[in-house]
Amino acid sequence: MDRDMFTELLASVEEMDAIVKGKAKPSREHHFPEPEVKDIREKTGLSQTRFATLIGVSKRTLENWEQGRRHPTGPAKALLRILEADPEHAVRALHG
C-alpha cells in the first residue's frame, strides 16, 4: 500500500472514530423505511396463517409485524422486500 492510500485510509478511520464517539456528524445517513407487512401480505392474496407459513414465521410474529409491535429484521426483511417487488413470482418460487 502506498503512502497516500495509507494516509487517506487513516483519515477515514479517524473520522469514523469521531462519529462513533459523537464528536462529529456523519456526512450522510441512509434511512430505509420499514416494510408495510400487511400491505405486502394483502398483495399476495394469502391469509395471515398461509403467509406466515410461506415465509417461515409464526402467525403471532406476523401479527406483531402487521400491528407495528415488532419489526422484521435480517433475512425476513429481505424476503418481504422481494415479496413486495414481485409477489406473484416470489410466492411461486417459495411454494416450490
Side-chain angles (χ1 to χ4, degrees), residues 1-11:
M1 178 181 313
D2 68 10
R3 188 162 199 69
D4 290 339
M5 187 181 289
F6 177 79
T7 302
E8 186 178 333
L9 182 59
L10 181 60

Side-chain angles (χ1 to χ4, degrees), residues 22-88:
K23 296 177 182 177
K25 290 200 173 258
S27 60
R28 62 185 171 268
E29 292 183 48
H30 299 281
H31 297 279
F32 299 97
E34 290 295 326
E36 295 294 329
V37 179
K38 185 175 182 178
D39 293 342
I40 295 168
R41 177 182 60 80
E42 288 176 345
K43 277 185 181 179
T44 67
L46 297 173
S47 67
Q48 284 183 328
T49 303
R50 290 182 52 114
F51 189 78
T53 300
L54 177 74
I55 64 172
V57 299
S58 71
K59 182 178 179 223
R60 186 73 180 140
T61 295
L62 181 63
E63 290 169 350
N64 283 329
W65 291 348
E66 287 190 1
Q67 294 171 10
R69 290 190 296 263
R70 297 206 179 269
H71 301 283
T73 60
K77 196 173 197 175
L79 181 55
L80 287 166
R81 293 207 187 283
I82 293 167
L83 281 157
E84 182 176 33
D86 191 351
E88 180 184 343

